[in-house]
Amino acid sequence: MHDPAGLDGLLARVALRDRAAFRQLYDACAPQLLGVALRLLRRRDLAEDVLQEAFAGVWQRAAAYRADAGTPMAWLTALVRNRALDLLRAERVRATESLDPADAERRADERPDPLGLLEQAADALHLRRCIDDIEGPQRQCLALAYYHGLSHSELAAHLGSPVGSVKAWLRRGVERLRRCLEHLE
């Protein structure tokens, strides 16, 4: 994968509508971002759709990326994660509207195999260790945002804190998680 400075440069060129830079950015980041979408959605077809939508958004909004707000990979991951969560929310709404038994059987067949369950358990243990090292509002923000899908404004309302504080806590918490997970690999 490219170094962060390289991704910054690619994003800057994508903002100028450089198709070659867009392809390089996609090639460098798509595998990891697909993994993010797969972990959330647990279906490859949906994860691929989310990844495609996210990169369409990158093409349209690359100029909105600000290096002072985080790394390019964090920005890209947030785009994919947010699209995946939007899809999950929409699926939940549809699931409550449709109680067709055939739908329930189809969902039951999408469960992971034993190896997939083992990998999920190992990932969960690594993540748990890293989360245990984070304290206070950072940990609470991460849990509410990533496990419950709350937005910044919803977090602020839930915690009774300013949105700016919530964003800072999340950013710091994500950075600590990233560093911790890098050390466990």
Side-chain angles (χ1 to χ4, degrees):
M1 181 183 305
H2 287 75
D3 63 307
L7 293 179
D8 279 334
L10 288 175
L11 273 172
R13 289 175 37 213
V14 170
L16 298 172
R17 299 293 191 240
D18 181 334
R19 290 178 187 268
F22 183 73
R23 183 66 196 184
Q24 289 175 332
L25 182 69
Y26 181 88
D27 290 343
C29 301
Q32 184 175 350
L33 295 173
L34 180 61
V36 169
L38 275 169
R39 278 191 291 283
L40 288 167
L41 299 169
R42 307 219 188 287
R43 281 187 45 197
R44 187 168 190 89
D45 61 330
L46 294 178
E48 289 171 349
D49 289 346
V50 162
L51 183 66
Q52 181 180 357
E53 289 174 20
F55 269 97
V58 169
W59 180 254
Q60 297 299 319
R61 298 186 18 211
Y65 168 70
R66 291 184 9 248
D68 62 338
T71 66
M73 199 61 193
W75 185 70
L76 293 167
T77 301
L79 288 176
V80 169
R81 183 186 155 281
N82 290 339
R83 291 198 188 267
L85 289 175
D86 289 345
L87 182 62
L88 286 172
R89 287 182 191 116
E91 288 289 321
R92 263 189 244 137
V93 168
R94 273 184 281 218
T96 58
E97 292 171 355
S98 167
L99 298 176
D100 183 6
D103 286 341
E105 286 180 34
R106 181 183 55 78
R107 278 191 219 99
D109 291 340
E110 294 169 357
R111 291 175 292 184
D113 62 4
L115 180 59
L117 289 171
L118 181 62
E119 289 171 348
Q120 287 175 3
D123 288 346
L125 283 173
H126 290 310
L127 184 59
R128 181 83 242 157
R129 281 188 217 135
C130 292
I131 288 175
D132 285 344
D133 290 340
I134 299 173
E135 297 176 357
Q138 289 176 7
R139 182 179 184 170
Q140 192 173 14
C141 281
L142 284 171
L144 291 170
Y146 289 92
Y147 293 122
H148 298 286
L150 297 184
S151 68
H152 290 129
S153 58
E154 291 169 331
L155 282 169
H158 183 79
L159 298 172
S161 300
V163 173
S165 296
V166 166
K167 287 181 178 181
W169 293 333
L170 273 174
R171 186 173 48 254
R172 289 180 195 130
V174 167
E175 181 60 28
R176 287 186 68 187
L177 264 180
R178 183 189 62 77
R179 284 192 312 262
C180 178
L181 290 171
E182 285 175 352
H183 290 291
L184 291 175
E185 291 179 352

